[in-house]
Amino acid sequence: MLDSLTPDQQALDEAIGRICTNFGDQYWLERDTDGNYPEDFVDAIASGGWLGIAMPKAHGGAGLGITEAAFMMRRIAQSGGGFAAASSIHINIFGPHPIVKYGTPEQQERMLPPLIDGRDRTCFGVTEPNAGLDTGGIETRAEWDGRNYVVYGQKLWTSTAQRANKIMLLARTRAKDTVAKSTDGLSLFYTNLDREHVEIHEIAKMGRKAVDSNALFIDGLKIPPEDLIGKEGKGFRYLLDGLNPERVLIGAEAVGLGRAALAKAVDYAREREVFNRPIGQNQAIQHPLAEAWAELEAANLMVVKGARLYDAGEACGAEANAGKYLAAEAAHKACERAVLTLGGMGYAREYHVERYLRESYIARIAPVSREMILNFIAERVLELPRSY
Ligand SMILES: Cc1cc2nc3c(=O)[nH]c(=O)nc-3n(C[C@H](O)[C@H](O)[C@H](O)COP(=O)(O)OP(=O)(O)OC[C@H]3O[C@@H](n4cnc5c(N)ncnc54)[C@H](O)[C@@H]3O)c2cc1C
């Protein structure tokens, strides 16, 4: 069975579930209200050693696959933590991937253990105001001054930068008009987020208030050459390598969120009586929930297929993208149906489903939008002409 868990995976799922029971819906509602970072949740996950779930054993990780990481993230989101919980640790799970794959042994030894045990917190600076999804259009530049790279530019939406002491940063090291392709000449750095040279402004946003997203203004950030990951100018290629696992994880998180919403809706539909009958006895309530279940579980299978292919070292672009797309849409629909099932109470914060609905948009937009996923499938899977 595609989604059957091995005994070890089952044990992992249960262990994560046990941690999450200490951080129930009420905890996440409070964080969504006060905007405080879920520090104690992150500490609990870190102290269990789970941040390194997919990191090599040689550096203190568990050496497991993206499949196990996806099961973990699904369980975390499904616990009611949704994207607030998942995003508070998401970057630690997949972000160090370029270091694992392209870092020198010295970099791996220096960079990975503190990320795995939670001493270092990183953020991920790719998106820019003038580039959007067209990563080749980024303008942040890293200039070599003979001793260091010196960075100037802006990043947008950089999540967790308020807390991070490190940043994985994509910057241009060769001007766009001097390279063959716009995505050439970009370099990837993992370095200190030096607040002397980086102004960080939090963006007020629709949901997931506990996990900040930010605008970064970088002015003269010095990066020593030993913090360059891999070869200069190849940063975009390195990032591409991490895209599929990230899509798998976001897909798994979306499935978890959708399942949480569906569970709330079903409980309410069973208990709430109107016209002397449970509202769940009405097909107009039942069918959308049944549809949500079917779509979530189908999406889950595609997410897991993407994860398994990735772990087997096989091509997984189509499945990772399709899984992320399907899961995001299914989660959004499940959350919307949950709000409507609860009627007026669906709109009340204390019933949680409106929080889930707000968070469900994240998976539809980031890290890649639904439109760009459909572009990818049309072009790469269906071999239709590129549309942009
Ligand atoms: C909560 C949140 C957290 C985030 N965290 C991070 C982070 O930590 N680090 C980071 O680097 N980024 C982060 N992002 C940014 C995110 O990855 C981007 O928002 C996303 O990639 C979309 O880019 P954009 O917002 O610039 O949209 P744009 O590129 O401006 O696109 C806007 C719309 O136009 C559509 N569009 C554009 N071109 C095409 C086309 N050719 N065909 C069809 N449709 C098209 C898009 O699909 C989209 O609907 C985060 C975003 C959010 C909302």
Side-chain angles (χ1 to χ4, degrees), residues 344-384:
M345 288 311 167
Y347 210 65
R349 304 204 68 202
E350 65 177 294
Y351 281 79
H352 308 291
V353 288
E354 63 79 39
R355 170 167 57 87
Y356 297 168
L357 177 63
R358 286 184 282 111
E359 290 188 357
S360 74
Y361 279 95
I362 296 173
R364 303 177 87 203
I365 298 170
V368 61
S369 66
R370 49 205 292 282
E371 293 76 19
M372 292 307 284
I373 288 186
L374 295 178
N375 285 345
F376 174 89
I377 292 173
E379 188 189 335
R380 303 293 180 86
V381 183
L382 306 180
E383 298 180 7
L384 292 168

Side-chain angles (χ1 to χ4, degrees), residues 197-264:
H197 295 281
V198 184
E199 253 184 61
I200 303 173
H201 296 281
E202 187 165 354
I203 300 170
K205 59 191 189 313
M206 179 184 197
R208 209 197 68 182
K209 190 174 177 188
V211 180
D212 51 282
S213 290
N214 305 275
L216 268 52
F217 299 87
I218 310 173
D219 185 16
L221 175 71
K222 282 196 176 61
I223 303 184
E226 55 268 26
D227 287 355
L228 170 71
I229 304 299
K231 291 202 172 71
E232 195 184 284
K234 303 283 182 215
F236 184 73
R237 272 215 349 237
Y238 303 156
L239 271 191
L240 281 184
D241 264 354
L243 293 187
N244 288 329
E246 189 185 18
R247 286 170 183 29
V248 166
L249 295 182
I250 294 269
E253 293 161 21
V255 169
L257 179 74
R259 285 180 176 174
L262 184 59
K264 288 262 187 294

Side-chain angles (χ1 to χ4, degrees), residues 124 126-127 132-133 157-159 213 365-367 369 371-372 375 388:
F124 205 65
V126 175
T127 307
L133 288 154
W157 284 109
T158 315
S159 296
S213 290
I365 298 170
S369 66
E371 293 76 19
M372 292 307 284
N375 285 345
Y388 59 98

Side-chain angles (χ1 to χ4, degrees), residues 7-235:
D8 283 351
Q9 290 167 343
Q10 187 68 42
L12 173 153
D13 190 55
E14 284 165 13
I16 297 296
R18 277 194 296 278
I19 296 177
C20 291
T21 52
N22 298 322
F23 304 92
D25 267 307
Q26 191 54 33
Y27 173 85
W28 293 107
L29 173 59
E30 284 165 17
R31 296 297 76 75
D32 194 57
T33 306
D34 60 26
N36 290 340
Y37 191 76
E39 201 68 66
D40 35 4
F41 169 75
V42 177
D43 285 349
I45 294 287
S47 61
W50 297 107
L51 290 181
I53 185 168
M55 293 290 115
K57 280 186 176 163
H59 300 292
L64 296 172
I66 282 299
T67 308
E68 283 78 13
F71 291 150
M72 174 173 101
M73 299 308 275
R74 188 177 70 190
R75 172 59 55 200
I76 286 172
Q78 196 171 331
S79 73
F83 272 91
S87 303
S88 68
I89 59 162
H90 175 94
I91 187 76
N92 286 64
I93 308 299
F94 93 95
H97 185 82
I99 306 172
V100 174
K101 202 145 177 208
Y102 299 103
T104 63
E106 183 280 322
Q107 286 177 326
Q108 292 176 356
E109 193 44 48
R110 177 163 54 92
M111 296 170 176
L112 294 177
L115 265 175
I116 291 169
D117 65 24
R119 271 176 292 147
D120 278 349
R121 298 278 170 84
T122 189
C123 57
F124 205 65
V126 175
T127 307
E128 293 193 7
N130 295 331
L133 288 154
D134 178 13
T135 306
I138 70 166
E139 294 166 350
T140 293
R141 58 189 203 284
E143 295 166 357
W144 179 247
D145 75 354
R147 292 182 62 190
N148 293 296
Y149 293 93
V150 188
V151 183
Y152 299 89
Q154 281 183 42
K155 293 287 169 186
L156 200 60
W157 284 109
T158 315
S159 296
T160 71
Q162 296 289 336
R163 308 239 137 209
N165 61 326
K166 297 280 180 183
I167 183 167
M168 182 79 76
L169 181 74
L170 190 71
R172 190 162 277 296
T173 40
R174 281 189 62 187
K176 197 170 157 185
D177 54 10
T178 66
V179 287
K181 279 197 322 212
S182 65
T183 47
D184 291 342
L186 301 176
S187 298
L188 195 61
F189 301 93
Y190 179 75
T191 197
N192 289 333
L193 182 56
D194 177 0
R195 285 166 167 73
E196 291 274 302
H197 295 281
V198 184
E199 253 184 61
I200 303 173
H201 296 281
E202 187 165 354
I203 300 170
K205 59 191 189 313
M206 179 184 197
R208 209 197 68 182
K209 190 174 177 188
V211 180
D212 51 282
S213 290
N214 305 275
L216 268 52
F217 299 87
I218 310 173
D219 185 16
L221 175 71
K222 282 196 176 61
I223 303 184
E226 55 268 26
D227 287 355
L228 170 71
I229 304 299
K231 291 202 172 71
E232 195 184 284
K234 303 283 182 215

